[in-house]
Amino acid sequence: MKPPNFFRLWRDLERDTKVHPTPYRRLHTRKDGSKLAVTVVLGNFRVGEDKLFIKYVIDASSVEQTELKLEESQHRFKAVADYTYDWESWLDSNGTLIWVNPAIERISGYSVHECMLMHDYPLPIVLPDDREKVQRLIEEALGGSSGNDIEFRIQDKAMHTKWIAVSWQPLLSDQENPVGVRMSMRDIDDRKAMEQQLRDYATRLEKLADERAKQIVLLESERAKIERLAALGKTSR
């Protein structure tokens, strides 16, 4: 009797029953005692009146190494991203938030979890007067644009208004197609406060200059008056 082709039977099983054999990972001991990571796939199904059991083992050492490298890369990324001082966000191609770093809580008072649950993030945090501007910015970013240092205001959890500057760039697939957008936002409240101080100082200087100009005009008028009186005195003598 010809033995069954288990790979064909497995494909038939997936196609006909929509039930997938269950894989699991384990360490296999070789004859020399060394260990090898393998993936074991188990499944059972019926072919006619016969109940069949399938099991096969795949060398998973290269897969495991790739997974370890990926995990290490993810850990490194998370360590860098979570401790980045600026407020970082990633949106998918639909504009839905897929990741935000903990700096959001320092800046806005909202936790990462609260942001992940927000509808139309980050608009609920943005000051109402600036929401249309931010929405338009996100739409342009999802279309593949990039930008730098665009200012808007947020309203933090304590209802305080803060100034934010955002830079953004598209996230691209291997085929260079936009798949989302990364937004990097900085708290520029101190910068805006300094700009306001400079404006106030310039206003005071302008006012002082205006007052000085008026004093000069008044002094010139007084000097001209004195000169006329002196001229009249000389004439009368």
Side-chain angles (χ1 to χ4, degrees), residues 68-78:
L68 287 173
K69 289 179 180 178
L70 179 60
E71 186 176 357
E72 289 174 1
S73 176
Q74 290 173 334
H75 284 317
R76 285 195 296 270
F77 163 76
K78 191 174 187 302

Side-chain angles (χ1 to χ4, degrees), residues 132-176:
E132 184 178 348
K133 176 181 182 180
V134 174
Q135 179 64 52
R136 185 168 59 251
L137 178 154
I138 292 174
E139 291 172 356
E140 293 175 358
L142 292 173
S145 76
S146 60
N148 186 54
D149 212 29
I150 301 300
E151 298 177 358
F152 66 94
R153 292 162 295 174
I154 66 168
Q155 194 168 58
D156 68 15
K157 202 170 183 179
M159 305 303 289
H160 298 139
T161 299
K162 290 184 176 181
W163 278 97
I164 301 294
V166 58
S167 301
W168 71 94
Q169 54 276 328
L171 299 174
L172 303 176
S173 67
D174 292 339
Q175 291 74 38
E176 299 297 315

Side-chain angles (χ1 to χ4, degrees), residues 26-199:
R26 71 175 178 83
L27 284 177
H28 173 73
T29 304
R30 293 191 180 100
K31 191 174 182 179
D32 62 3
S34 61
K35 302 292 185 180
L36 175 69
V38 297
T39 297
V40 180
V41 179
L42 301 175
N44 60 81
F45 53 96
R46 288 187 177 277
V47 177
E49 297 296 325
D50 299 322
K51 183 176 182 180
L52 301 179
F53 176 79
I54 183 171
K55 173 183 178 180
Y56 64 92
V57 181
I58 304 172
D59 181 351
S61 55
S62 60
V63 174
E64 191 169 71
Q65 290 174 4
T66 301
E67 289 174 346
L68 287 173
K69 289 179 180 178
L70 179 60
E71 186 176 357
E72 289 174 1
S73 176
Q74 290 173 334
H75 284 317
R76 285 195 296 270
F77 163 76
K78 191 174 187 302
V80 172
D82 283 354
Y83 287 97
T84 299
Y85 190 75
D86 289 344
W87 164 15
E88 300 280 344
S89 300
W90 287 13
L91 309 180
D92 66 14
S93 58
N94 296 315
T96 302
L97 177 66
I98 55 178
W99 175 83
V100 60
N101 71 337
I104 179 64
E105 189 161 4
R106 174 180 57 80
I107 294 174
S108 74
Y110 291 94
S111 68
V112 170
H113 179 68
E114 289 174 313
C115 291
M116 296 300 296
L117 295 177
M118 282 182 186
H119 179 66
D120 287 339
Y121 169 94
L123 297 184
I125 304 175
V126 178
L127 198 71
D129 288 348
D130 289 352
R131 286 178 185 171
E132 184 178 348
K133 176 181 182 180
V134 174
Q135 179 64 52
R136 185 168 59 251
L137 178 154
I138 292 174
E139 291 172 356
E140 293 175 358
L142 292 173
S145 76
S146 60
N148 186 54
D149 212 29
I150 301 300
E151 298 177 358
F152 66 94
R153 292 162 295 174
I154 66 168
Q155 194 168 58
D156 68 15
K157 202 170 183 179
M159 305 303 289
H160 298 139
T161 299
K162 290 184 176 181
W163 278 97
I164 301 294
V166 58
S167 301
W168 71 94
Q169 54 276 328
L171 299 174
L172 303 176
S173 67
D174 292 339
Q175 291 74 38
E176 299 297 315
N177 296 318
V179 294
V181 60
R182 174 195 172 193
M183 302 174 69
S184 181
M185 292 168 272
R186 292 180 291 110
D187 181 346
I188 58 169
D189 245 13
D190 290 343
R191 187 177 86 185
K192 298 300 286 188
M194 185 171 291
E195 288 176 356
Q196 185 60 50
Q197 288 177 3
L198 289 173
R199 284 193 294 270

